[in-house]
Amino acid sequence: QVQLVESGGGLVQAGGSLRLSCAPSGNIFSYDPVAWYRQAPGKERELVATFPRVGSRYYADSVKGRFLISRDIAKNTVNLQMNSLKPDDTAVYYCNAVQQGVAYWGQGIHVTVSS
């Protein structure tokens, strides 16, 4: 069974940084694309960043220049480096990965940014 396990969330002061990691079952390169979404209370789930096997990475305008999505071959993870965090970044973050046309989701991990 495919599982995506997220880690690295927590509480951080505005301007700080966090790194989220997503550890999937199987080889990370068997998933295309991989992505991070987030959902704040009372808001719809939104796409934060995607990393396709072919082509350029995509970032939401709200995080562009601050966040970086990457694949770590050695650790077999997909990561989201979040810098210059703002209170508006507070949300539950979800790892997403597509394998053979099927989308899989992590359980979600909380990120809270204090002002």
Side-chain angles (χ1 to χ4, degrees), residues 84-95:
S84 301
L85 283 162
K86 305 174 181 180
D88 285 348
D89 296 319
T90 296
V92 178
Y93 284 71
Y94 296 89
C95 180

Side-chain angles (χ1 to χ4, degrees), residues 17-28:
S17 299
L18 286 173
R19 178 185 287 267
L20 305 182
S21 294
C22 174
S25 56
N27 194 298
I28 188 66

Side-chain angles (χ1 to χ4, degrees), residues 25-95:
S25 56
N27 194 298
I28 188 66
F29 287 100
S30 69
Y31 300 89
D32 183 24
V34 295
W36 287 94
Y37 289 74
R38 68 185 182 187
Q39 187 169 22
K43 305 290 186 180
E44 295 183 357
R45 186 173 297 185
E46 64 174 343
L47 176 64
V48 176
T50 60
F51 195 170
R53 194 193 307 264
V54 177
S56 300
R57 289 168 285 186
Y58 165 85
Y59 298 94
D61 288 342
S62 59
V63 307
K64 191 172 184 178
R66 300 188 296 120
F67 290 12
L68 176 67
I69 187 171
S70 62
R71 300 177 192 244
D72 189 319
I73 297 174
K75 296 181 179 180
N76 197 46
T77 59
V78 56
N79 303 318
L80 184 69
Q81 178 66 44
M82 305 184 294
N83 299 318
S84 301
L85 283 162
K86 305 174 181 180
D88 285 348
D89 296 319
T90 296
V92 178
Y93 284 71
Y94 296 89
C95 180

